[in-house]
Amino acid sequence: MCAAEAPPRVAMLGGTFDPVHVGHLRSAIELREALALDRVHMVPARVPPHRATPGVDAEQRATMLALGIADTPGLYVDDREIRREGPSYSTATLASLREELGTQARLVMALGYDAYLHLAEWHEPARLFELAHVVVVDRPDHQQPLPAALETLIEGREVASVDTLMQSPAGGLLHLSLPTRMAISATAIRARLQRGESVRYLLPDAVERYLLARRLYR
Ligand code: ATP
């Protein structure tokens, strides 16, 4: 098969992005490079199923995400969870991407190690692997062992290389240690803003200007 006929390679990176920070954006760029992806859809959750409702509404979080991505090649704000009613289940998001991209596309659900630890508690977790590969990005501030239910869920799925993963459209699990690992979290950024401390260089300038001008997270 020549390169022009190769199936598309697309990743979804979902999150609350409350607010987006350089840990998200740098990971998305390096994920795209590591997996040779055509694009990374960054998908803000409207109502995250597994955590308290964010204090900043979905439209504002999506606006900050768009400001943060700006003209970065290959990264896109995908607002399909905001447009959809009800809780933001990743299975529904992946199913709609799969529908658009076709059965042969290499579809990846990327998530950080902290989110991965809770994967077995998600809605229809086994279905996630029918729809996509799962790629886990290491975070320097998260190293806990896997819960038993997660061990069962991932049994027989782990592969050791990108090439092996990309031989099939879905169903594999890969751990990636991206070149730039950053101990930056939205929780710590919100706490800094609450205390009136600087968040400069933790998130893009345009995002900093946006949230300071509106006194978000104060
Ligand atoms: P919070 O601190 O509010 O939980 P967060 O910084 O973890 O937020 P989310 O919006 O919950 O951000 O994260 C979206 C996705 O990005 C998750 O899969 C998360 O693991 C991943 N992620 C967040 N921060 C980083 C980082 N610094 N490096 C790598 N992945 C990250």
Side-chain angles (χ1 to χ4, degrees):
M1 183 184 280
C2 75
E5 295 167 358
R9 295 184 177 198
V10 173
M12 156 200 171
L13 176 62
T16 323
F17 303 113
D18 189 26
V20 65
H21 52 72
V22 300
H24 299 127
L25 293 163
R26 195 64 220 165
S27 297
I29 290 171
E30 293 181 4
L31 179 79
R32 179 168 179 248
E33 290 172 349
L35 300 179
L37 299 168
D38 296 299
R39 51 186 197 274
V40 178
H41 291 236
M42 300 184 74
V43 186
R46 189 165 72 96
V47 186
H50 303 288
R51 51 186 290 165
T53 306
V56 171
D57 70 39
E59 278 73 22
Q60 284 184 312
R61 288 183 283 111
T63 299
M64 290 190 280
L65 183 55
L67 288 169
I69 290 175
D71 61 353
T72 312
L75 305 194
Y76 295 95
V77 184
D78 181 332
D79 67 353
R80 74 186 71 210
E81 291 190 359
I82 296 176
R83 288 185 274 112
R84 197 169 63 221
E85 290 296 307
S88 301
Y89 291 130
S90 296
T91 44
T93 307
L94 291 170
S96 85
L97 281 167
R98 175 60 76 193
E99 174 94 19
E100 283 171 26
L101 297 165
T103 54
Q104 288 312 301
R106 278 37 178 166
L107 181 57
V108 166
M109 181 178 84
L111 76 183
Y113 190 80
D114 58 309
Y116 172 61
L117 287 173
H118 297 283
L119 195 67
E121 301 156 31
W122 288 22
H123 181 66
E124 300 183 307
R127 176 131 174 80
L128 296 168
F129 285 97
E130 291 170 20
L131 292 160
H133 294 303
V134 172
V135 170
V136 183
V137 175
D138 282 351
R139 285 179 75 170
D141 41 352
H142 294 277
Q143 270 128 19
Q144 302 89 316
L146 301 190
L150 182 56
E151 295 272 16
T152 307
L153 177 70
I154 63 167
E155 204 177 332
R157 299 202 173 276
E158 189 154 9
V159 299
S161 74
V162 173
D163 285 350
T164 310
L165 191 77
M166 291 299 175
Q167 279 166 18
S168 55
L173 171 72
L174 180 71
H175 282 264
L176 278 184
S177 207
L178 296 172
T180 313
R181 289 178 293 286
M182 287 179 275
I184 298 178
S185 73
T187 303
I189 289 174
R190 291 193 301 271
R192 289 190 142 269
L193 289 164
Q194 178 104 50
R195 295 191 297 261
E197 294 169 0
S198 169
V199 293
R200 175 112 357 139
Y201 307 129
L202 295 173
L203 30 73
D205 290 348
V207 177
E208 183 189 2
R209 280 196 297 275
Y210 180 95
L211 60 81
L212 291 180
R214 287 160 187 77
R215 297 183 60 79
L216 302 182
Y217 308 105
R218 294 301 295 266

